[in-house]
Amino acid sequence: MKHYDLIIVGAGIAGASAAYEFSKQGDNVLLLEQYQFLHTKGSSQGGSRIFRHAYENPNYIKLAIEAGELWRELEHNLKEKLVFPTGGIDIGTNDNKDLQDIQTALQATAQDYEVLSAHETNKRFPAFQLSSDMIALYQKDAAILAATRAVNALLLAAALAGADLQDNTELVKIDMAKDRVTVKTNLTSFSASKIILAAGSWLDKLLPDLKLNLDVEQQQVIYLKVNKPHLHSMVNMPIFINRNPAAMVYGFPLIDSPTAIKVANHLAAPKIEIENRNFELNSQRAKNTIAQVRSFMPYVSDNLEDFATCLYTKTKTEDFIIDLHPEYDNLLIAGGFSGHGFKFGSLLGKLFIDKFAKTGKYDLDMFGF
Ligand SMILES: Cc1cc2nc3c(=O)[nH]c(=O)nc-3n(C[C@H](O)[C@H](O)[C@H](O)COP(=O)(O)OP(=O)(O)OC[C@H]3O[C@@H](n4cnc5c(N)ncnc54)[C@H](O)[C@@H]3O)c2cc1C
């Protein structure tokens, strides 16, 4: 049986980041993925993800700042364009609590931002036509991350650093001991000194005794054709999040398609059992999202060009789980990224190294389960 320093289960953004960072520091790493690499059944696939500093919690802002620097470093080292700076606006009514909390957190972390009136927003970014009771919080550091391309780049870099990458290989059984782990896959068995479970929406199934209480939601993104493409280009339109507590729609300028922008509603997607995941459009949800978006983006049509489904794996607090198993400190649980984890992908591997080594370089207390 082949032995490794570390086995990583799952080749989404979390597993790919781990494979890269641990192999770079000289560890002998095996990464296992149950499906084909870059498959579209999990959470990390697609052309675009939002990168932003604008969070209500200063801890996330600090991590996002470091992640932003690391994304740029990765672009340079991996020679791959991964980050498309657009700036970003969080919009809402002028008494919106999220917007107030984000401002407080940005001030506490000394981040630049601007508060724009509806009139200023509509003039500066004419793709948006906000009603007079709304404001926009503009943050220049927001950007678009090329999602699948980033995962691919990290996997290639991990392989170049010496990692063994195996797709179509499902972990089916784990035998834990304090200093050694043995795993059985559908093909063969391996052993390692330690293991990271970065299994996304399948994590709960691998650790049934721990009661991680993760909710899996089937999300969808829709692509809507626009009437005035130049207003929706990456030069003229920032990424946006509408902080309406009833329907938090968000979206991107033209990037995945030359004719349609990608939008979605972050909230209240149907909870599912992973076995029941399907790839169909939820038409009622799409209709609601279209109505929401068109209420402040008048040049977006209701003409659906395309759609895609994707999975959220949510904790009750929407804070991630990056924690050691209570009995085995050679087993790291990395999941529950709750629909906002991708942006930290450049940093996750380093956080995992810190958690195993217990050096406390990062404050990871909020990521316990
Ligand atoms: C529609 C949508 C929009 C999003 N937008 C944003 C955004 O704008 N900004 C942002 O920061 N984040 C965003 N997110 C969240 C982000 O994409 C996720 O938090 C992140 O991709 C989670 O990555 P992961 O590696 O944990 O999971 P996954 O990508 O699902 O990876 C887990 C992998 O583990 C594999 N696996 C599971 N079980 C086994 C097993 N037994 N053996 C082998 N392999 C196994 C799976 O096949 C899968 O490939 C969005 C997510 C979705 C769905």
Side-chain angles (χ1 to χ4, degrees):
M1 190 187 333
K2 190 154 179 198
H3 184 82
Y4 290 87
D5 295 325
L6 171 69
I7 292 174
I8 300 163
V9 181
I13 187 63
S17 178
Y20 175 58
E21 289 296 340
F22 281 87
S23 350
K24 207 169 60 159
Q25 72 167 12
D27 286 355
N28 188 14
V29 170
L30 171 66
L31 175 67
L32 299 174
E33 168 54 51
Q34 63 182 344
Y35 300 121
Q36 210 170 328
F37 288 131
L38 310 181
H39 67 87
T40 56
K41 299 182 173 111
S43 304
S44 301
Q45 69 277 3
S48 47
R49 289 290 186 281
I50 291 175
F51 175 86
R52 64 187 155 98
H53 290 181
Y55 265 89
E56 296 96 315
N57 181 330
N59 290 341
Y60 279 114
I61 298 182
K62 287 180 203 151
L63 293 174
I65 294 168
E66 184 165 348
E69 287 160 9
L70 288 172
W71 280 119
R72 282 170 183 80
E73 202 178 296
L74 278 174
E75 272 192 322
H76 178 77
N77 292 345
L78 310 183
K79 303 198 173 24
E80 180 82 59
K81 181 78 185 146
L82 302 174
V83 186
F84 296 84
T86 56
I89 54 172
D90 287 79
I91 60 177
T93 50
N94 46 30
D95 59 352
N96 181 286
K97 168 101 172 52
D98 280 5
L99 292 183
Q100 287 163 6
D101 291 346
I102 293 169
Q103 280 185 64
T104 308
L106 287 170
Q107 279 163 16
T109 48
Q111 295 301 292
D112 291 338
Y113 68 90
E114 291 172 61
V115 178
L116 307 176
S117 68
H119 178 70
E120 286 165 333
T121 311
N122 302 345
K123 212 166 140 210
R124 187 154 156 193
F125 306 119
F128 301 93
Q129 292 300 312
L130 305 187
S131 56
S132 58
D133 60 337
M134 292 180 82
I135 54 169
L137 193 157
Y138 175 74
Q139 218 282 320
K140 66 175 172 35
D141 298 297
I144 300 173
L145 294 169
T148 296
R149 203 192 292 178
V151 175
N152 194 36
L154 285 165
L155 292 177
L156 288 171
L160 285 173
D164 281 352
L165 311 182
Q166 256 186 253
D167 63 356
N168 297 311
T169 310
E170 182 189 6
L171 172 121
V172 289
K173 190 164 182 287
I174 313 172
D175 279 320
M176 288 302 303
K178 296 273 179 211
D179 55 354
R180 189 181 171 93
V181 45
T182 310
V183 303
K184 193 163 170 260
T185 74
N186 55 325
L187 301 173
T188 182
S189 295
F190 301 98
S191 66
S193 305
K194 46 190 195 283
I195 186 164
I196 296 177
L197 298 182
S201 299
W202 293 262
L203 189 56
D204 249 343
K205 270 180 48 177
L206 295 181
L207 294 164
D209 297 342
L210 282 192
K211 309 251 175 311
L212 295 175
N213 279 321
L214 298 172
D215 289 328
V216 176
E217 290 183 358
Q218 182 161 321
Q219 271 287 352
Q220 67 185 18
V221 296
I222 54 176
Y223 295 83
L224 298 177
K225 289 205 172 158
V226 292
N227 298 326
K228 298 193 178 187
H230 64 286
L231 298 186
H232 301 81
S233 72
M234 275 196 280
V235 181
N236 292 323
M237 180 186 149
I239 58 99
F240 72 90
I241 302 177
N242 187 336
R243 295 279 169 176
N244 176 354
M248 199 190 277
V249 291
Y250 64 89
F252 301 76
L254 295 169
I255 180 164
D256 297 337
S257 154
T259 45
I261 63 163
K262 179 169 102 172
V263 296
N265 179 2
H266 176 72
L267 299 180
K271 273 187 212 170
I272 58 155
E273 295 301 322
I274 189 70
E275 301 75 23
N276 301 332
R277 188 232 202 284
N278 66 54
F279 295 85
E280 286 153 27
L281 179 73
N282 179 329
S283 310
Q284 188 53 50
R285 205 169 150 74
K287 233 170 125 180
N288 295 344
T289 305
I290 292 170
Q292 289 288 337
V293 171
R294 276 162 55 87
S295 71
F296 59 92
M297 298 189 76
Y299 309 114
V300 174
S301 79
D302 57 4
N303 190 343
L304 192 77
E305 185 178 89
D306 202 358
F307 75 94
T309 60
C310 186
L311 299 175
Y312 274 10
T313 312
K314 283 170 79 169
T315 61
K316 300 299 173 215
T317 58
E318 299 197 9
D319 292 325
F320 313 149
I321 298 175
I322 301 175
D323 206 355
L324 299 175
H325 188 280
E327 227 175 301
Y328 301 104
D329 61 6
N330 54 344
L331 190 170
L332 179 80
I333 303 157
F337 290 106
S338 303
H340 65 114
F342 201 96
K343 68 184 67 59
F344 303 99
S346 54
L347 178 62
L348 289 176
K350 288 185 192 293
L351 301 185
F352 302 162
I353 287 174
D354 190 49
K355 193 73 201 174
F356 268 133
K358 299 182 182 164
T359 43
K361 184 170 172 222
Y362 296 95
D363 179 4
L364 301 177
D365 288 351
M366 68 188 282
F367 301 131
F369 61 93

